Amino acid sequence: MAKAFLFDIDGVLTDSADISKELVKRFFAFKGKSVGYEDIIPNLGMGMDALCLKTAERVGVEINLEEALSFFKENYSTLLKEKKEIPGASSFIKDARKKGILRAVVSSAPSWRVEENLSSIGLALDDFDLVLTEKDVKRNKPYPDIYIKAMIELGVEKKDTVIFEDSISGIKGGKESGAMVVALTTTLGREKSKLSGADAVLDSFLLFPSFSSSDDLDSALRELSGKGRNAIRYGANWIESLERKAPTKEVMKEAIDKALNAMEHAYSPYSKFNVGAAVLSAGSGRIYSGCNVENASYGATICAERNAITTAITNEGAIGIDLLVVASRCNPPAMPCAVCRQVMSEFIRPDTPIVLVNTMGVIETYKFSELLPHPFDFEAL
């Protein structure tokens, strides 16, 4: 559930990213060196020190950093007067405040620049719960430090945080922090923003899906990232699930039949222990089966459950599992091994039914959470 929004400034709240590019060009021209935007853009979002020094290094020029920073400060306000907010930015922040969403500035710019930019669009520091600038961390973007510090100070987890960025370094740092990153297209454009690794791309805040509650907001974020308002999380994946809430008797019977049939095709010359499995895909409603395949090198053996899951993924890509059946000849029916339970956790919900059957007609049903209550999941990464 999203609880906090973290905002960069230039190119995210104010249309000011090109001021940095323009002033860097002017400074180097003043020093007798022509630089192109292609020399500047890779260094945006890292702070003024890095922007000046890395651009100088890229074009092979030595500069006096203090002189460059002074030039920047003297000319910044004049160019800022010509700029406007990213459409809908200030109202988006004020609306988030009313709805109880925590808000923070996470900028690589100096504090004076942050205040000027906010003032230019009718915002102030107290419109935010937290303001962090270049001097608040030792390592600036593309390192994730400023985002992690913001989350710690706001008291929120990465899974509950959304970062709004526009530069390559900002998007990279945001992703490394573990939070969701929404890229504004102001600096990189839509295509490069998509390729940068952002979870979602936004042209302006006016296009952010409307929301009135925390559940609405989560749905809006899924819609924005192309996962759809009706998507449900299965393990590490958001899946557009069919309307069916639980497997019907007919679907259950078909899955059991497929698991029993797959068991007959098992390759188990060493253990003589045949197992079959079937998984019901949440997204398509299709049932995929698999059997255990042994190997003289025992570690190369694949279990029936994993065989069925990989078959489903081969056909659909990332899946959600609405039902998993394991068939064997033993009594009581065989349980999935620990490795298979861990693999399942990547694509399953805690309440997903795991059905164990045997050839004597015994059927046992468990929730996945009963078989593996504490999986090692993607959030641990």
Side-chain angles (χ1 to χ4, degrees), residues 9-12 14-22 44 76 83 113 117 166 186-187:
I9 294 286
D10 294 308
V12 173
T14 56
D15 186 20
S16 53
D18 60 346
I19 294 181
S20 296
K21 293 183 286 186
E22 180 61 28
L44 290 172
Y76 188 83
K83 301 302 176 183
R113 225 174 89 194
N117 279 35
D166 69 306
T186 47
T187 299

Side-chain angles (χ1 to χ4, degrees), residues 23-35 51-53 55-57 59 61 63:
L23 288 177
V24 169
K25 284 192 71 174
R26 290 187 186 186
F27 175 76
F28 279 91
F30 174 70
K31 304 301 288 184
K33 183 69 176 181
S34 176
V35 298
L51 177 59
C52 295
L53 292 174
T55 303
E57 181 182 343
V59 298
V61 175
I63 63 168

Side-chain angles (χ1 to χ4, degrees), residues 267-317:
Y267 178 77
S268 55
Y270 308 105
S271 70
K272 310 300 182 185
F273 189 80
N274 286 24
V275 181
V279 295
L280 171 63
S281 167
S284 69
R286 294 177 64 185
I287 297 172
Y288 299 93
S289 60
C291 61
N292 56 319
V293 179
E294 294 183 348
N295 193 279
S297 175
Y298 291 166
T301 294
I302 182 170
C303 296
E305 297 92 323
R306 281 178 277 156
N307 205 335
I309 290 170
T310 54
T311 298
I313 293 170
T314 299
N315 283 273
E316 296 188 17

Side-chain angles (χ1 to χ4, degrees), residues 6 8 45-50 105-111 130-153 165 169 173 177:
L6 311 185
D8 183 37
M46 299 182 183
M48 277 307 301
D49 291 13
V105 168
V106 284
S107 175
S108 298
S111 56
L130 177 68
V131 176
L132 298 178
T133 62
E134 63 174 358
K135 300 303 182 185
D136 290 306
V137 289
K138 290 184 178 180
R139 300 189 307 173
N140 230 310
K141 305 170 188 178
Y143 294 102
D145 302 26
I146 195 167
Y147 311 105
I148 294 172
K149 182 178 176 67
M151 286 184 262
I152 291 172
E153 294 199 17
E165 274 287 357
S169 60
S177 77

Side-chain angles (χ1 to χ4, degrees), residues 156-357:
V156 295
E157 298 182 50
K158 58 189 178 183
K159 65 183 177 64
D160 299 324
T161 304
V162 183
I163 296 170
F164 294 89
E165 274 287 357
D166 69 306
S167 67
I168 292 173
S169 60
I171 293 166
K172 181 181 178 182
K175 287 298 296 178
E176 286 190 13
S177 77
M180 179 181 182
V181 177
V182 177
L184 275 294
T185 59
T186 47
T187 299
L188 300 175
R190 175 162 286 274
E191 196 58 35
K192 286 185 179 179
S193 294
K194 287 181 179 178
L195 295 174
S196 67
D199 297 290
V201 177
L202 191 64
D203 291 320
S204 85
F205 288 99
L206 295 175
L207 300 177
F208 193 95
S210 61
F211 65 94
S212 57
S213 66
S214 57
D215 287 342
D216 267 358
L217 175 55
D218 288 344
S219 295
L221 290 168
R222 291 199 296 273
E223 180 182 340
L224 192 64
S225 58
K227 294 165 184 169
R229 280 185 174 263
N230 297 319
I232 298 173
R233 196 170 84 179
Y234 288 79
N237 303 283
W238 288 95
I239 303 296
E240 284 277 359
S241 182
L242 298 176
E243 289 186 8
R244 183 185 60 251
K245 299 296 182 183
T248 63
K249 289 183 179 180
E250 292 78 11
V251 172
M252 180 77 78
K253 183 179 185 304
E254 182 183 354
I256 290 173
D257 289 345
K258 287 196 172 185
L260 288 166
N261 184 63
M263 182 187 70
E264 299 300 328
H265 296 280
Y267 178 77
S268 55
Y270 308 105
S271 70
K272 310 300 182 185
F273 189 80
N274 286 24
V275 181
V279 295
L280 171 63
S281 167
S284 69
R286 294 177 64 185
I287 297 172
Y288 299 93
S289 60
C291 61
N292 56 319
V293 179
E294 294 183 348
N295 193 279
S297 175
Y298 291 166
T301 294
I302 182 170
C303 296
E305 297 92 323
R306 281 178 277 156
N307 205 335
I309 290 170
T310 54
T311 298
I313 293 170
T314 299
N315 283 273
E316 296 188 17
I319 61 164
I321 298 175
D322 263 346
L323 168 70
L324 190 142
V325 178
V326 182
S328 62
R329 292 194 174 95
C330 60
N331 193 20
M335 285 274 190
C337 74
V339 174
C340 284
R341 297 182 200 195
Q342 176 60 41
V343 171
M344 291 177 202
S345 71
E346 189 79 5
F347 310 101
I348 209 164
R349 294 178 59 77
D351 59 352
T352 296
I354 308 298
V355 178
L356 312 179
V357 302

